[in-house]
C-alpha cells in the first residue's frame, strides 16, 4: 500500500468518524428533555406537534442498540487504523533494508533475511473485536478459553441428540496397569462412565462408525456441566492403524501411556494369555515361554531388522550413485521383508513366513489381537512411541511408569488429574487389579531379555529424558 493511498484511507476514516459522532450528538439532542419532566411531550418535530409518549419510548428503546452498533463500528475503525500503521511500519522497514542492500548488497544479504524474520516475529497480531449476545465487547483470548471450558468434548448431533466422544484415551501398554488406572478413573465424579474398558474401536471396529463408538459412553442432553470421556484399549499403541485414525477423528484428545519393565511385561503377557485362552475356551497354548521368546526374536531379526539393513544399504547405494561411485555388480541384496521364508520352521509364528502377515508396515507394530502375539514386539516401546510421534506431540502424551503404581498410587493419580485438568479426590484404599500370579522367570531367559531390550530402553530414556530404572 502506497503512502498516498494510506493517507486517503485515513482521511476517509476520519470523515466517517465525524459523521458517526454527529449522529450520536443528534440522537442525544432529540431525546434530551426540552420541557419539565411532568410534561408528556419532550421533543418538538418540524411541524410543531409534540411526539406522543409511545414514539418517545420507541426512540429511547432503539437508542441503546444504535449506540452499541456505533461502538462496534468505532472498534473496527480502530482495527483498520492499527492495521494501516502496522503496514506502514513494515514498508518503512523494507525500504530501509533495500537502501542498506544498495549500500553493500553482498555483505548485508543475510542481515536482510534476519531483519525480515524479526519483523514477522515482532509484528503484533491484531484481532478483530468480538461481541457477546448482548453486544458487549469481549477479549478474544478469553473467548477461546471460555469456549474450551464450556465445550470440552467433541460432540456430534445425531437424530436430534448429541453424541460426545472421548477427551482422553489410554493407549497402552498391555499388562502395564491399564485396568487399575481405568477402574479408579471411573470413580471420579468428573469422568463419564463407559460401557466397558476396552472398546477396540480404532484398531478393530473402526468400520462400525463413529455413532457406534459414541454409544459406549455416558451422554448428555445439553452442553452444561459436561464430564470428561475416556476409554482404555492397551492394544492401540502397537497397532499401526490406530494413530492415523485417532488423529483424524480426535486429534486433540489427551493420550495416556503406561510403560512397564519390558522383561516383566513379557512374562506377564505369557501367563495372562494362558488364562485368557482357557477362560474363552480357546485351544490351549502349546509352547513354553522360552520357545515363544526365541522364535519371535528370530522373526523380528529376519523380517524387521533384515528390512532395516536392506533399506540402509539401498540408501547408501543411492548416495553412491549420486556421487558416481556405484557399480551395479556390487549390489545383490534382496529385501527380506518381501521374501517368502519357507525355510523357517516357525511354529506359533508360522504365518510370518510372509513378513507382512505379521508386521504390516515393516516395523514392530502389528495388528494381531491374539493375547500371546508380540511379547517382544509390544515391549519395544521406543519404536512404538516414535511412530506415534509422527501424529501427536510428546506433550499430548502422559506417560506413567507402571512400577510407580505399586509404590505411590496416590501420586500417580494426582499427576494424572493435573494432566486431565480435573479436581483431586480421595480414591480410598488402592487394590491391585487384573494381576496374574506366576512362577519366577528362569535366570537364563531373564539375562537374554535384559540384553535384548537394552538398546531400545536406552533410546526411550534419551527420547523422554527420563530413567525408568528397569533391569539392565
Amino acid at each position: 500500500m502506497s503512502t498516498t493511498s494510506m493517507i486517503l484511507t485515513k482521511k476517509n476514516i476520519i470523515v466517517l468518524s465525524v459523521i458517526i459522532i454527529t449522529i450520536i450528538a443528534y440522537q442525544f439532542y432529540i431525546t434530551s428533555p426540552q420541557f419539565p419532566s411532568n410534561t408528556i411531550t419532550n421533543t418538538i418535530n418540524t411541524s410543531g406537534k409534540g411526539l406522543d409518549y409511545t414514539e418517545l419510548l420507541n426512540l429511547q428503546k432503539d437508542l441503546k442498540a444504535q449506540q452499541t452498533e456505533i461502538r462496534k463500528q468505532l472498534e473496527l475503525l480502530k482495527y483498520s487504523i492499527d492495521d494501516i500503521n502496522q503496514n506502514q511500519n513494515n514498508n518503512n522497514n523494507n525500504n530501509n533494508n533495500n537502501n542498506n542492500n544498495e549500500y553493500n548488497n553482498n555483505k548485508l544479504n543475510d542481515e536482510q533475511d534476519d531483519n525480515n524474520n524479526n519483523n514477522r516475529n515482532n509484528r503484533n497480531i491484531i484481532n478483530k473485536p468480538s461481541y457477546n449476545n448482548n453486544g458487549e465487547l469481549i477479549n478474544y483470548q478469553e473467548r477461546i478459553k471460555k469456549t474450551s471450558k464450556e465445550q470440552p468434548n467433541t460432540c456430534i448431533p445425531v437424530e436430534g441428540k448429541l453424541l460426545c466422544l472421548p477427551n482422553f484415551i489410554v493407549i497402552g501398554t498391555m499388562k502395564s496397569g491399564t485396568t487399575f488406572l481405568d477402574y479408579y478413573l471411573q470413580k471420579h465424579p468428573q469422568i463419564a462412565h463407559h460401557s466397558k474398558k476396552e472398546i477396540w474401536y480404532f484398531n478393530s471396529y473402526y468400520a462400525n462408525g463413529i455413532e457406534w463408538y459414541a454409544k459406549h459412553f455416558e451422554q448428555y442432553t445439553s452442553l452444561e456441566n459436561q464430564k470428561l470421556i475416556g476409554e482404555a484399549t492397551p492394544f492401540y499403541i502397537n497397532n499401526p492403524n490406530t494413530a492415523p485414525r485417532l488423529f483424524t477423528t480426535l486429534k486433540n484428545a489427551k493420550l495416556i501411556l503406561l510403560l512397564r519393565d519390558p522383561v516383566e511385561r513379557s512374562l506377564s503377557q505369557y501367563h495372562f494369555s494362558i488364562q485368557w485362552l482357557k477362560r474363552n475356551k480357546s485351544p490351549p497354548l502349546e509352547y513354553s515361554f522360552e520357545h515363544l521368546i526365541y522364535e519371535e526374536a528370530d522373526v523380528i531379526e529376519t523380517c524387521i531388522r533384515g528390512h532395516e539393513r536392506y533399506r540402509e544399504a539401498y540408501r547408501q547405494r543411492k548416495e553412491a550413485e549420486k556421487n558416481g561411485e556405484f557399480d551395479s555388480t556390487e549390489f545383490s541384496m534382496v529385501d527380506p521383508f518381501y521374501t517368502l521364508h519357507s525355510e523357517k520352521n516357525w511354529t506359533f509364528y508360522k504365518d510370518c513366513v510372509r513378513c507382512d502377515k505379521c508386521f504390516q508396515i515393516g516395523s514392530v507394530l502389528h495388528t494381531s489381537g491374539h493375547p500371546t502375539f508380540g511379547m517382544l514386539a509390544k515391549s519395544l516401546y521406543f519404536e512404538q512411541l516414535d511412530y506415534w510421534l509422527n501424529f501427536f506431540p510428546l506433550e499430548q502424551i502422559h506417560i506413567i511408569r507402571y512400577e510407580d503404581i505399586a509404590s505411590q498410587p496416590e501420586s500417580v493419580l494426582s499427576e494424572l488429574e493435573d494432566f486431565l485438568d480435573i479436581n483431586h479426590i480421595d480414591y480410598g484404599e488402592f487394590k491391585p487389579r487384573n494381576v496374574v500370579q506366576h512362577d519366577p522367570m528362569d535366570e537364563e531367559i531373564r539375562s537374554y531379555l535384559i540384553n535384548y531390550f537394552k538398546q531400545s530402553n536406552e533410546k526411550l530414556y534419551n527420547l523422554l529424558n527420563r530413567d525408568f530404572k528397569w533391569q539392565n
Side-chain angles (χ1 to χ4, degrees):
M1 179 182 295
S2 65
T3 304
T4 304
S5 61
M6 285 191 292
I7 294 174
L8 290 176
T9 304
K10 283 187 176 181
K11 287 183 178 180
N12 292 338
I13 292 173
I14 293 172
V15 170
L16 182 58
S17 301
V18 171
I19 293 173
I20 292 174
I21 293 171
T22 303
I23 294 173
I24 294 174
Y26 175 72
Q27 288 175 330
F28 274 109
Y29 170 75
I30 65 172
T31 56
S32 61
Q34 304 282 330
F35 294 91
S37 59
N38 59 347
T39 61
I40 294 180
T41 57
N42 291 350
T43 57
I44 303 295
N45 63 15
T46 55
S47 63
K49 297 180 181 180
L51 293 175
D52 61 34
Y53 187 63
T54 302
E55 292 178 357
L56 179 60
L57 288 179
N58 288 336
L59 280 172
Q60 292 176 332
K61 182 178 179 180
D62 292 339
L63 179 59
K64 183 179 180 180
Q66 294 171 0
Q67 291 173 341
T68 299
E69 180 62 27
I70 290 170
R71 281 197 297 271
K72 290 183 183 180
Q73 296 297 328
L74 288 174
E75 287 293 336
L76 290 174
L77 287 174
K78 179 180 179 297
Y79 165 78
S80 299
I81 293 173
D82 290 342
D83 198 26
I84 290 171
N85 290 335
Q86 189 64 62
N87 288 334
Q88 185 175 12
N89 290 335
N90 288 339
N91 288 334
N92 290 338
N93 289 336
N94 289 336
N95 290 334
N96 290 336
N97 286 337
N98 290 333
N99 292 334
N100 290 336
N101 287 339
E102 291 176 2
Y103 173 74
N104 191 342
N105 186 58
N106 294 330
K107 180 178 178 182
L108 297 179
N109 271 341
D110 292 337
E111 293 181 7
Q112 181 186 5
D113 292 337
D114 292 339
N115 288 336
N116 289 338
N117 289 333
N118 289 334
N119 289 339
R120 286 191 293 269
N121 293 333
N122 295 332
R123 177 173 180 171
N124 295 325
I125 298 175
I126 305 173
N127 294 315
K128 290 187 178 182
S130 301
Y131 299 86
N132 61 18
N133 293 334
N134 296 324
E136 298 169 345
L137 184 67
I138 59 175
N139 181 275
Y140 183 70
Q141 293 300 328
E142 289 299 322
R143 179 183 180 187
I144 293 177
K145 293 179 181 178
K146 183 173 183 290
T147 303
S148 177
K149 184 176 180 181
E150 291 185 352
Q151 300 180 10
N153 296 349
T154 299
C155 301
I156 55 175
V158 177
E159 297 178 356
K161 60 183 179 181
L162 286 175
L163 293 180
C164 296
L165 304 174
N167 314 87
F168 69 92
I169 297 177
V170 181
I171 60 175
T173 59
M174 182 185 181
K175 302 311 301 170
S176 298
T178 58
T179 301
F180 171 91
L181 195 69
D182 180 75
Y183 175 81
Y184 285 100
L185 283 178
Q186 285 288 286
K187 290 178 172 291
H188 200 289
Q190 290 177 269
I191 293 180
H193 293 154
H194 50 52
S195 61
K196 59 181 179 179
K197 171 205 165 195
E198 300 180 18
I199 301 177
W200 288 48
Y201 174 66
F202 290 103
N203 58 341
S204 297
Y205 299 109
Y206 196 65
N208 287 359
I210 202 70
E211 185 176 351
W212 176 90
Y213 183 50
K215 287 181 178 179
H216 286 83
F217 308 109
E218 177 185 353
Q219 297 294 335
Y220 315 97
T221 56
S222 74
L223 293 175
E224 299 282 334
N225 302 317
Q226 291 188 67
K227 297 179 180 180
L228 297 187
I229 296 175
E231 61 131 324
T233 302
F235 285 79
Y236 281 165
I237 184 66
N238 60 259
N239 191 300
N241 298 323
T242 303
R245 289 172 177 175
L246 185 54
F247 177 79
T248 302
T249 310
L250 298 170
K251 68 177 181 180
N252 295 320
K254 295 181 178 181
L255 307 180
I256 302 167
L257 176 62
L258 293 94
L259 300 177
R260 179 181 185 178
D261 185 328
V263 176
E264 300 300 333
R265 199 216 66 80
S266 301
L267 183 62
S268 181
Q269 180 183 340
Y270 173 76
H271 287 284
F272 168 80
S273 68
I274 292 175
Q275 293 187 4
W276 188 93
L277 293 170
K278 182 179 180 180
R279 185 169 60 248
N280 289 274
K281 299 180 180 179
S282 300
L285 197 58
E286 302 176 357
Y287 311 104
S288 68
F289 175 66
E290 291 79 4
H291 174 87
L292 291 171
I293 288 295
Y294 292 133
E295 184 169 286
E296 184 185 354
D298 189 30
V299 172
I300 292 176
E301 177 64 23
T302 301
C303 293
I304 308 305
R305 305 308 174 214
H307 180 56
E308 292 171 352
R309 287 190 292 270
Y310 173 85
R311 287 170 60 88
E312 176 59 21
Y314 185 77
R315 185 195 66 78
Q316 292 179 5
R317 170 194 173 182
K318 299 301 289 184
E319 187 69 21
E321 281 183 342
K322 184 177 179 181
N323 297 331
E325 303 168 355
F326 176 67
D327 182 354
S328 61
T329 60
E330 295 177 1
F331 191 85
S332 59
M333 285 189 68
V334 176
D335 191 346
F337 188 76
Y338 300 104
T339 302
L340 185 64
H341 300 284
S342 54
E343 78 284 358
K344 295 290 186 179
N345 295 317
W346 293 329
T347 53
F348 180 81
Y349 289 95
K350 59 183 181 294
D351 289 342
C352 299
V353 294
R354 281 188 53 187
C355 295
D356 61 342
K357 280 284 192 179
C358 294
F359 299 100
Q360 289 73 24
I361 63 171
S363 75
V364 297
L365 280 83
H366 53 276
T367 61
S368 174
H370 194 286
T372 312
F373 188 99
M375 290 185 292
L376 292 179
K378 286 184 175 67
S379 303
L380 294 167
Y381 305 136
F382 171 79
E383 293 173 72
Q384 299 172 72
L385 182 57
D386 186 57
Y387 175 77
W388 277 71
L389 292 180
N390 293 319
F391 302 91
F392 296 94
L394 192 56
E395 58 267 23
Q396 200 170 329
I397 307 174
H398 182 68
I399 297 176
I400 298 173
R401 180 177 176 266
Y402 166 83
E403 291 74 17
D404 292 337
I405 293 177
S407 61
Q408 45 185 354
E410 296 90 349
S411 176
V412 168
L413 284 167
S414 176
E415 291 175 1
L416 183 57
E417 288 167 335
D418 291 337
F419 176 68
L420 297 176
D421 196 21
I422 55 179
N423 298 332
H424 291 255
I425 68 167
D426 182 5
Y427 293 91
E429 183 182 2
F430 292 101
K431 296 181 179 180
R433 314 293 303 182
N434 199 26
V435 175
V436 178
Q437 301 296 332
H438 54 76
D439 295 332
M441 187 184 302
D442 177 78
E443 288 306 312
E444 182 178 347
I445 191 67
R446 178 183 298 277
S447 178
Y448 174 84
L449 290 173
I450 290 174
N451 184 65
Y452 187 86
F453 293 124
K454 184 177 181 179
Q455 185 178 13
S456 175
N457 289 347
E458 289 175 352
K459 289 182 177 180
L460 180 72
Y461 297 171
N462 291 333
L463 173 66
L464 302 179
N465 193 26
R466 177 179 177 183
D467 187 352
F468 284 77
K469 302 185 184 304
W470 292 327
Q471 301 171 70
N472 54 42

